[in-house]
């Protein structure tokens, strides 16, 4: 007898980090830059309505939204896409006498194709020391609450603290771009 999944039961999502620059991929690092990362998302159960939100954090709190990519597990036709790869690259552009900005590129790849979305957000010039926040091991979570999946932190002091996605670490961020997987019914 097969067990049917209830429509109300949340799906399980597994995030698996991807090393883009391993082996032959090393040749692409100069083009993507050091503030680049990737991961795969795979769901089990009912298809979640998942969005990838891009938020700006300052002094340990979310202060603004830079955009969002909706329906990450989109599929056309009868075939469902249970897995998607997400590649993120952030280039900070410093212009003398002008506002600096982050050019955030997000590529999504699944069985039916790929897409590339670019977001631009103002970035204060004093935040010149930057580092990545990401998972280096697979993580599984359910879709009943949002989950932080990737980020870039920055400081104006040339001193950076090690960070992860724990509330304690996030509360100590001077400035960051945080990617959050959000689910809707």
């Amino acid at each position: 007898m097969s067990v049917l999944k209830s429509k109300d039961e949340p799906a399980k999502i597994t995030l698996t980090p991807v090393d883009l620059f391993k082996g032959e991929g090393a040749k692409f690092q100069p083009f993507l830059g050091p503030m680049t990362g990737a991961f795969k998302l795979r769901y089990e159960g009912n298809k979640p309505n998942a969005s990838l939100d891009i938020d700006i954090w300052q002094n340990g709190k979310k202060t603004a939204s830079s955009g969002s990519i909706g329906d990450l597990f989109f599929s056309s036709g009868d075939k469902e896409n249970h897995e998607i790869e997400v590649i993120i690259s952030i280039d900070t552009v410093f212009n003398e006498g002008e506002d600096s900005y982050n050019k955030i590129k997000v590529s999504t790849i699944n069985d039916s194709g790929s897409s590339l979305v670019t977001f631009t957000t103002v970035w204060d010039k004093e935040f010149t020391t930057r580092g990545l926040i990401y998972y280096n091991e697979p993580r599984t979570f359910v879709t009943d609450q949002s989950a932080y999946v990737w980020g870039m932190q920055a400081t104006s002091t040339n001193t950076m603290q090690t960070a992860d996605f724990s509330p304690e670490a996030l509360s100590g961020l001077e400035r960051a771009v945080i990617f959050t997987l959000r689910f809707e019914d």
Side-chain angles (χ1 to χ4, degrees), residues 109-175:
I109 303 132
N110 62 31
D111 288 342
S112 60
S114 65
S115 69
L116 174 67
V117 181
T118 302
F119 301 91
T120 303
T121 185
V122 175
W123 192 253
D124 297 329
K125 291 181 185 203
E126 68 264 14
F127 295 107
T128 55
T129 302
R130 300 174 298 148
L132 298 179
I133 307 169
Y134 58 93
Y135 292 110
N136 59 3
E137 296 290 330
R139 298 270 187 223
T140 300
F141 43 89
V142 293
T143 58
D144 59 355
Q145 60 183 332
S146 298
Y148 304 119
V149 293
W150 197 85
M152 179 190 80
Q153 66 166 319
T155 71
S156 60
T157 63
N158 288 331
T159 302
M160 185 165 292
Q161 298 297 316
T162 302
D164 59 17
F165 296 113
S166 67
E168 299 80 24
L170 291 173
S171 70
L173 297 176
E174 185 179 358
R175 183 78 182 241

Side-chain angles (χ1 to χ4, degrees), residues 8-13 48 141-147 182-183 185:
D8 297 331
E9 188 175 325
K12 283 186 183 177
I13 301 273
F141 43 89
V142 293
T143 58
D144 59 355
Q145 60 183 332
S146 298
R182 181 177 45 84
F183 306 100
D185 295 333

Side-chain angles (χ1 to χ4, degrees), residues 20 32 36-39 85-89 105-109 116:
L20 287 174
L32 293 172
T36 298
F39 51 88
E85 184 170 355
V86 178
I87 301 172
I88 301 167
S89 180
K105 296 174 271 187
V106 182
S107 177
T108 56
I109 303 132
L116 174 67

Side-chain angles (χ1 to χ4, degrees), residues 77-94:
D78 294 339
K79 186 177 181 196
E80 289 185 5
N81 285 312
H82 284 262
E83 185 172 88
I84 183 170
E85 184 170 355
V86 178
I87 301 172
I88 301 167
S89 180
I90 302 176
D91 294 322
T92 304
V93 180
F94 298 100

